Amino acid sequence: MELKDKLISSFMAFENRVDVHHPVHDIRTEAIKVFEEKGFPSKKDEAWKYTSLNTLLKNDYSVFPKEESALEFKDVKKYFIHDIDSYKIVFIDGIYSSHLSQTSHEGLDACLMSSALTKPKYRLIIENYFNKIAKKDESLTALNTAFSREGAFINIPKGKVVDKPIQIIHLATGKESSIMLQPRSLVVVGENAHVQIIERHQSLTDNPVLTNSVTEIYTHKRGIVDYYKIQNDNENASLIDNTYISQQKNSHASVHTFSFGGKITRNNLQFLHNGEYINSTLKGITITQDKQHVDHSTLVHHATPNCESHQDYKGIYADKSTGVFNGRIIVEKEAQKTNGFQQSNNILIDEKATINAKPQLEIFADDVKCSHGCTIGQLDDEALFYLQSRGIPKKEARALMMYAFANNVLESVKIPEVKTRINKLIALKLGVNLGFDL
């Protein structure tokens, strides 16, 4: 049975598990119809022109884990930013792990999507926010919506500055020969509120894992959200990450995406402006090798005047790895005084490495400041020779140049421990000790 047919046939069993009288039953039912009509995207779809899912769809994924799995913190500690105090929302094979988590309902909600979907006190929030900005006609988002049940629910009330970061960790044990996970998260940041969130998906074995994740983030007036995605999975784990962000007047939202591993990684990141003086930041560092494939697809929709967006993505591709950057900025006629910046810089280390870049500006306003740029090249031989002439071995000199190339993206990371972890991962990916404190 093809994966599409298996998912459609599994939907009825899933609905029976969560109760057909559930408040989002109708939403799920409509979503599975969209997926049934559209199926999985292919390279015939313009948005997926450079990314094929065919190799992933051949696996016979388990849709529901057969049993709950337990893990000890010492065995997975390295996947956490463990040197900071934080709230933790941890899932093992898609099931919440109370043992590894530290949630809260004191002054904020950092808890479970399943609780938000079922408890009456959250019903108004679900009605106002759930599935309101996620693209209903996008097949993989619709698939996630159809099976939406578990994930992180974060609700930051008006005026609350969260005292410590929130970590969302998804672990796959490999107890299933192959598994498909579909976490669904909802983040609501109230007026004048501020939160920092760190997200990671990690497979613990070489068994195939396909994660189809959807996150909806709402940032109200003068709200601030800093979101960090750490993607450093093994060679048989693939991730399709769909993140939708709606911003209100004077809000600031930033997403930093660090893609260092995985078989196929697709990041769909969409920002929608709903007020003046909004600031959006999208930054990423990608370092790949072997036959890894990373696809960044971004959209910033400027629908209101006097707003800014800043996109800066750096990619380093080795061996036969492939990168894709499809960045899009839309400026509506009403969005005068928009300042939109987009930049994609890429280095190909080996001859068989590939990058497909497609920066796009669609401007319908006449009083704007928008720019985009894309560079693809190799390391500067003269600069490399200069470093070697100063006694730095060639391998370390190359790594130092690549580190400097990517480093400006890290300047806007606001959690020092995250910056330290990313620096260490960069050094590890480049295979050197850079000789200074990371």
Side-chain angles (χ1 to χ4, degrees), residues 229-233 239 256-262 265-267 283-289 292-296 313-317 422 425 429:
K229 297 175 181 289
I230 301 176
Q231 301 168 349
N232 187 37
D233 220 331
L239 171 66
H256 290 71
T257 305
F258 303 104
S259 299
F260 300 138
T265 303
R266 164 79 176 216
N267 291 299
K283 293 192 175 185
I285 297 175
T286 301
I287 304 178
T288 61
Q289 58 190 10
Q292 293 174 332
H293 181 105
V294 175
D295 183 340
H296 295 287
Y313 284 79
K314 300 296 178 71
I316 300 173
Y317 304 94
I422 297 304
L425 287 174
K429 291 294 289 185

Side-chain angles (χ1 to χ4, degrees), residues 83-101:
D83 44 359
I84 58 173
D85 187 20
S86 66
Y87 300 105
K88 302 174 185 68
I89 309 173
V90 183
F91 304 93
I92 302 174
D93 293 333
I95 299 174
Y96 172 64
S97 170
S98 59
H99 174 64
L100 296 177
S101 298

Side-chain angles (χ1 to χ4, degrees), residues 247 250-254 273 277-281 307-310:
Q247 293 183 251
N250 290 105
S251 65
H252 290 241
S254 66
H273 289 184
Y277 306 106
I278 289 170
N279 193 299
S280 303
T281 300
C307 297
E308 296 187 18
S309 64
H310 185 100

Side-chain angles (χ1 to χ4, degrees), residues 100-301:
L100 296 177
S101 298
Q102 180 190 347
T103 59
S104 177
H105 293 289
E106 297 181 7
L108 74 152
D109 293 304
C111 58
L112 304 181
M113 193 67 173
S114 56
S115 295
L117 289 172
T118 55
K119 292 186 177 180
K121 68 175 181 177
Y122 296 122
R123 183 158 189 165
L124 188 59
I125 294 176
I126 295 301
E127 289 178 353
N128 288 334
Y129 298 104
F130 180 79
N131 206 46
K132 291 297 188 291
I133 54 173
K135 289 193 67 176
K136 298 174 180 59
D137 61 346
E138 203 285 318
S139 63
L140 292 176
T141 296
L143 176 62
N144 177 281
T145 301
F147 287 91
S148 59
R149 180 173 182 269
E150 195 59 285
F153 173 70
I154 298 171
N155 181 35
I156 314 300
K158 180 179 179 180
K160 174 70 175 181
V161 178
V162 183
D163 58 340
K164 53 189 177 182
I166 300 171
Q167 297 195 61
I168 304 170
I169 309 292
H170 298 271
L171 301 169
T173 62
K175 287 189 175 181
E176 308 283 346
S177 59
S178 59
I179 191 169
M180 184 174 186
L181 303 173
Q182 304 206 65
R184 180 64 171 250
S185 296
L186 176 62
V187 180
V188 180
V189 182
E191 186 175 329
N192 294 313
H194 182 192
V195 66
Q196 296 175 320
I197 301 172
I198 304 162
E199 178 186 296
R200 182 160 186 167
H201 300 263
Q202 187 66 48
S203 176
L204 306 180
T205 73
D206 291 330
N207 289 352
V209 177
L210 174 57
T211 301
N212 177 38
S213 174
V214 172
T215 301
E216 294 179 285
I217 302 173
Y218 297 83
T219 306
H220 288 277
K221 292 180 181 179
R222 296 179 296 278
I224 301 174
V225 57
D226 294 315
Y227 210 105
Y228 302 95
K229 297 175 181 289
I230 301 176
Q231 301 168 349
N232 187 37
D233 220 331
N234 66 40
E235 61 183 13
N236 286 321
S238 295
L239 171 66
I240 300 165
D241 187 294
N242 305 281
T243 301
Y244 301 90
I245 301 177
S246 174
Q247 293 183 251
Q248 299 292 331
K249 183 177 181 180
N250 290 105
S251 65
H252 290 241
S254 66
V255 176
H256 290 71
T257 305
F258 303 104
S259 299
F260 300 138
K263 184 174 183 177
I264 294 178
T265 303
R266 164 79 176 216
N267 291 299
N268 298 316
L269 182 57
Q270 299 190 15
F271 283 69
L272 176 62
H273 289 184
N274 294 299
E276 295 188 69
Y277 306 106
I278 289 170
N279 193 299
S280 303
T281 300
L282 303 77
K283 293 192 175 185
I285 297 175
T286 301
I287 304 178
T288 61
Q289 58 190 10
D290 300 324
K291 294 182 179 181
Q292 293 174 332
H293 181 105
V294 175
D295 183 340
H296 295 287
S297 179
T298 69
L299 168 64
V300 181
H301 192 165

Side-chain angles (χ1 to χ4, degrees), residues 42-61:
S42 70
K43 297 181 77 171
K44 294 180 180 179
D45 301 304
E46 182 63 27
W48 291 81
K49 183 177 180 180
Y50 301 109
T51 300
S52 172
L53 301 179
N54 289 342
T55 57
L56 306 183
L57 305 183
K58 295 176 182 179
N59 293 309
D60 184 21
Y61 295 104

Side-chain angles (χ1 to χ4, degrees), residues 331-338 363-369:
V331 183
E332 299 289 358
K333 184 177 180 180
E334 297 81 7
Q336 304 293 342
K337 305 292 184 182
T338 289
I363 303 173
F364 303 99
D366 52 18
D367 185 7
V368 301
K369 181 182 178 183

